[in-house]
Amino acid sequence: MTSIYFDHAATTPMRAEAISAYADAAGAGPGNPSSLHAFGRSARGRVTAARDTLAQLLGCSPSELVFTGSGTESDNTALFGAARAQRAKGRTGIVTSSVEHHAVLHACDKLKEEGFRITLLPVDETGRVAVSEAEQAIDDTTAVVSIMAGNNETGTLQPYAEIAQIAKNRGAVMHVDAVQAFGYEPIDLQSVPVDLLSVSAHKINGPQGVGLLFVRRGTPFQPLLYGGNQERARRAGTENVAGIAAFAEAARLSAGDLDARRSHAEQIRQAFLQALETELGRDAFVLNGNAVHRLPHIANISFLGLNSETMLMNLDLAGVAASAGSACTSGSLQPSHVLTAMNLPRERVQSAIRFSFGLGNTTAEAEKTAKIVATISARLRNR
Ligand SMILES: Cc1ncc(COP(=O)(O)O)c(C=O)c1O
């Protein structure tokens, strides 16, 4: 039975070294990083080592990093934390884009109920925000600007560094959701004026349920969770020691071979597109997203005339895992908010499939999947 995993944007398999780091920390015995005794100090040492590694990779101080329970929690903590703190200064505007992950958009819906004004920047037909739109929308009443680094459905990259400069000039806090881009795009917090940045371990072959939030020193911020003083009182709750150790190991390895990861993903993507062209013909599909400013591991493809849910079900039956959009919306038959915001024709939105590649995938798998797609496509068209 075929078993091909082309859904790395949803989650990635943990790499062996991260599993070892996890097992090593989990098997080291009890120890709450907040306890003062030797067991606690040992656990704290692991968290500190992981924080140091991640800080070095991101170009920030270890004290500027807050471990969370997911990318979603990092996004929510960033938005609620900065927006509520900025309100004290009379700033009540939030500027974000229409293609953000729901972790950002649904948090903004909630902030709207709290009285914040939400401005959703439009995108072009490739899913990219124009810097000029941000320039117009951000003013001295803006509390927070939240723009993602790379989109999880199309892979389109945003000009977040330019937008961060505008936010800085106008006194707004800048948040970047880098959950999908981290591990593929270099991020250097020393050179971009970003105040808050979200990352998630399970997108880079680390464990699920571990996130990270960068909070630049001096950023207006209120915690989302109250309790103990963990994470310098910015996120209460006992840290996931083993998960954090495994996250740092996965991040260290993915940063070390960033170029190799990029070219590997690019190679699989190219092989897949080439094979689709051979099997289906160039006119049977359209690639969605930006051709230049894009992540290397995502291919969002509309198979014109076919329905994405039907295609996905058939791919699953044939042993191929892909997705209709973000993991949260797939299966719900809701048209993708990202492709809709790109103003694509209905037919393109309703027939889109996201294939996303990663560690362990081969060009042979890409070629095989293209053949499977062609077989399914012929069957569905002849019905
Ligand atoms: C861009 C983006 N932001 C946030 C998230 C949420 O991350 P997590 O799954 O760790 O909650 C995801 C996950 O798909 C994502 O792709």
Side-chain angles (χ1 to χ4, degrees):
M1 161 78 183
T2 307
S3 179
I4 297 176
Y5 187 75
F6 277 174
D7 203 12
H8 291 255
T11 198
T12 56
M14 263 176 92
R15 60 197 301 164
E17 300 90 334
I19 295 174
S20 285
Y22 190 98
D24 187 33
N32 185 323
S34 300
S35 299
L36 296 177
H37 49 60
F39 293 89
R41 287 199 302 278
S42 163
R44 189 175 189 80
R46 289 178 194 275
V47 174
T48 302
R51 200 189 305 279
D52 290 348
T53 300
L54 287 157
Q56 210 208 340
L57 296 177
L58 288 165
C60 65
S61 154
S63 64
E64 292 174 312
L65 294 181
V66 177
F67 287 112
T68 66
S70 61
T72 299
E73 189 190 322
S74 297
D75 284 345
N76 274 259
T77 306
L79 284 156
F80 285 101
R84 289 173 181 162
Q86 286 277 74
R87 182 159 47 196
K89 299 182 194 156
R91 289 179 175 265
T92 52
I94 312 269
V95 176
T96 185
S97 85
S98 48
V99 295
E100 298 298 311
H101 191 270
H102 282 139
V104 167
L105 290 177
H106 290 168
C108 286
D109 289 344
K110 198 71 201 158
L111 283 164
K112 190 174 175 191
E113 287 174 21
E114 292 185 13
F116 287 91
R117 243 176 325 105
I118 314 295
T119 305
L120 290 184
L121 299 178
V123 292
D124 65 16
E125 70 286 355
T126 75
R128 213 162 135 85
V129 172
V131 176
S132 57
E133 295 276 359
E135 180 95 49
Q136 272 182 30
I138 303 168
D139 61 23
D140 58 11
T141 66
T142 307
V144 183
V145 179
S146 184
I147 298 292
M148 69 201 323
N151 187 270
N152 47 298
E153 292 192 34
T154 59
T156 297
L157 296 172
Q158 300 297 358
Y160 74 87
E162 288 99 311
I163 296 175
Q165 193 56 55
I166 301 168
K168 184 184 162 113
N169 294 346
R170 303 194 179 152
V173 169
M174 178 75 192
H175 168 246
V176 174
D177 175 343
V179 168
Q180 207 58 239
F182 184 59
Y184 281 109
E185 283 294 307
I187 293 168
D188 180 13
L189 292 167
Q190 253 165 22
S191 60
V192 285
V194 165
D195 303 299
L196 301 158
L197 182 125
S198 304
V199 170
S200 182
H202 73 108
K203 308 291 184 182
I204 56 155
N205 306 100
Q208 296 174 337
V210 188
L212 185 72
L213 178 64
F214 160 74
V215 184
R216 192 177 294 282
R217 189 171 297 125
T219 301
F221 179 83
Q222 281 179 17
L224 198 59
L225 301 184
Y226 293 88
N229 283 328
Q230 289 93 347
E231 302 298 298
R232 295 175 178 247
R234 291 167 302 186
R235 196 269 190 181
T238 301
E239 292 90 345
N240 175 357
V241 179
I244 288 169
F247 175 21
E249 182 62 357
R252 189 181 68 78
L253 292 166
S254 70
D257 62 8
L258 190 125
D259 289 341
R261 268 167 71 82
R262 284 184 64 90
S263 57
H264 173 252
E266 197 63 64
Q267 200 187 357
I268 311 285
R269 189 177 183 276
Q270 273 315 323
F272 185 49
L273 294 176
Q274 189 62 56
L276 279 179
E277 201 168 322
T278 309
E279 297 291 335
L280 291 172
R282 189 62 201 90
D283 296 338
F285 66 95
V286 193
L287 206 48
N288 303 312
N290 196 287
V292 180
H293 304 286
R294 62 172 178 81
L295 291 167
H297 67 296
I298 295 177
N300 189 306
I301 302 170
S302 294
F303 296 100
L304 302 174
L306 301 176
N307 173 275
S308 36
E309 298 293 329
T310 314
M311 174 59 92
L312 274 182
M313 264 164 29
N314 279 276
L315 281 171
D316 185 30
L317 286 172
V320 177
S323 171
S326 60
C328 334
T329 49
S330 61
S332 69
L333 286 174
Q334 296 247 325
S336 147
H337 71 283
V338 174
L339 301 182
T340 305
M342 286 158 62
N343 249 323
L344 300 185
R346 223 172 117 93
E347 190 194 8
R348 244 168 101 179
V349 176
Q350 288 179 341
S351 61
I353 305 279
R354 177 188 70 183
F355 297 90
S356 49
F357 317 105
L359 213 67
N361 284 150
T362 61
T363 50
E365 286 180 325
E367 282 151 16
K368 178 149 194 189
T369 301
K371 283 198 165 60
I372 292 172
V373 168
T375 307
I376 296 171
S377 168
R379 193 165 63 226
L380 295 176
R381 285 184 203 283
N382 288 333
R383 265 209 313 219

